[in-house]
Amino acid sequence: MHIDWSQTQVYNTIMSVATGIALLMLVRFSQHVTRGDKISLEGWSIGFAIPGFILTLTGGAMTLTWPLSKIGFPFDDIIFGEPTLAFGVMLLGGAILIWRRSNLHHKAELSDKEAKQQSGVMTSQLIDMIRPLSYFAAAMGLALISIAIAGVYYQLFAAPPEEPISGRFADYPLLEASFISGLYAVTGIGAILLPFSLATRNPIVTRIMGLCWRVTGILFVLFGAMNYFTHIGLIINTM
């Protein structure tokens, strides 16, 4: 197998790591806000903006240029590019909203005691600000589940034999298809639960959503980190 890598690009590595970190940050941020912890809203807004920018940039490039079609995997441009672009834009939108809230918080110049008393008000305001984003998130959650079904049905995501580690399972395409599809499906379930969690503030719904994103966030980070080795090996083995 020979691939002309000067004619194509693969962004799955940093996309996977940024996605995983963003999911874990969402879970952690929601915990802080729910408990009324004193946090740096500017820090969290920048924290969301960085992976948001990376995912918007790489997802947008993949969505608009279809680089993977040049090596025979055009469907991967839809599978990886479009959800990544959507997630990146939502993260940037959320970062802006949190940054604006931080400015209002500073202008109030509350003492520690007053800030604690106002934590419930801040939580409600943040939920109201983020709720419109949750509807698009839920719609993309449905898209992720659809992608997961397609991944199993068509046995997608199998790595070529030339790729280290993952390529050892090239003869068992359903194995990696089930793993990646599972990641997409569980992430999608969490996204679908987001507007219900914000609307009802039901702790059970919130815990299920948090569990979905915590598990998939960790797996996305680990899988993306591993891909830095496997994708470098794939490039070397197919040059």
Side-chain angles (χ1 to χ4, degrees), residues 156-215:
L156 307 176
F157 308 118
E162 291 81 4
E163 182 173 333
I165 302 178
S166 303
R168 294 179 178 271
F169 305 100
D171 293 333
Y172 308 96
L174 192 58
L175 183 63
E176 191 160 6
S178 299
F179 173 70
I180 302 298
S181 293
L183 280 181
Y184 271 66
V186 176
T187 304
I189 292 171
I192 292 171
L193 291 177
L194 178 58
F196 298 100
S197 174
L198 295 177
T200 65
R201 303 191 193 182
N202 187 312
I204 296 177
V205 175
T206 302
R207 279 198 293 268
I208 294 173
M209 181 188 70
L211 179 62
C212 289
W213 285 353
R214 186 180 293 110
V215 171

Side-chain angles (χ1 to χ4, degrees), residues 6 8 21 30 34 54 60 65 69-70 72 89-90 102 113 122 141 173 210 224:
S6 65
T8 190
I21 288 297
S30 66
T34 301
I54 292 172
T65 64
S69 64
K70 300 172 184 176
V89 172
M90 284 188 285
S102 71
K113 182 178 180 180
M122 186 187 76

Side-chain angles (χ1 to χ4, degrees), residues 143-153 157 177 180-186:
L144 291 178
I145 292 177
S146 181
I147 290 172
I149 294 172
V152 173
Y153 185 83
F157 308 118
I180 302 298
S181 293
L183 280 181
Y184 271 66
V186 176

Side-chain angles (χ1 to χ4, degrees), residues 104-181:
L104 295 174
H105 184 66
H106 282 317
K107 288 178 181 179
E109 295 182 352
L110 300 174
S111 66
D112 289 345
K113 182 178 180 180
E114 291 171 330
K116 191 69 175 178
Q117 293 173 345
Q118 291 293 324
S119 63
V121 175
M122 186 187 76
T123 299
S124 297
Q125 290 175 341
L126 279 172
I127 289 175
D128 288 339
M129 293 169 70
I130 296 173
R131 186 173 294 165
L133 286 173
S134 69
Y135 304 134
F136 184 44
M140 288 307 300
L142 293 174
L144 291 178
I145 292 177
S146 181
I147 290 172
I149 294 172
V152 173
Y153 185 83
Y154 294 107
Q155 297 189 17
L156 307 176
F157 308 118
E162 291 81 4
E163 182 173 333
I165 302 178
S166 303
R168 294 179 178 271
F169 305 100
D171 293 333
Y172 308 96
L174 192 58
L175 183 63
E176 191 160 6
S178 299
F179 173 70
I180 302 298
S181 293

Side-chain angles (χ1 to χ4, degrees), residues 53-105:
F53 174 77
I54 292 172
L55 294 175
T56 300
L57 183 65
T58 54
M62 185 173 284
T63 299
L64 296 175
T65 64
W66 279 40
L68 298 178
S69 64
K70 300 172 184 176
I71 56 176
F73 302 101
F75 44 84
D76 280 345
D77 292 308
I78 298 175
I79 291 171
F80 298 125
E82 295 189 19
T84 298
L85 173 60
F87 191 27
V89 172
M90 284 188 285
L91 286 172
L92 290 178
I96 294 171
L97 293 175
I98 295 171
W99 183 272
R100 289 192 62 207
R101 178 59 204 167
S102 71
N103 290 336
L104 295 174
H105 184 66

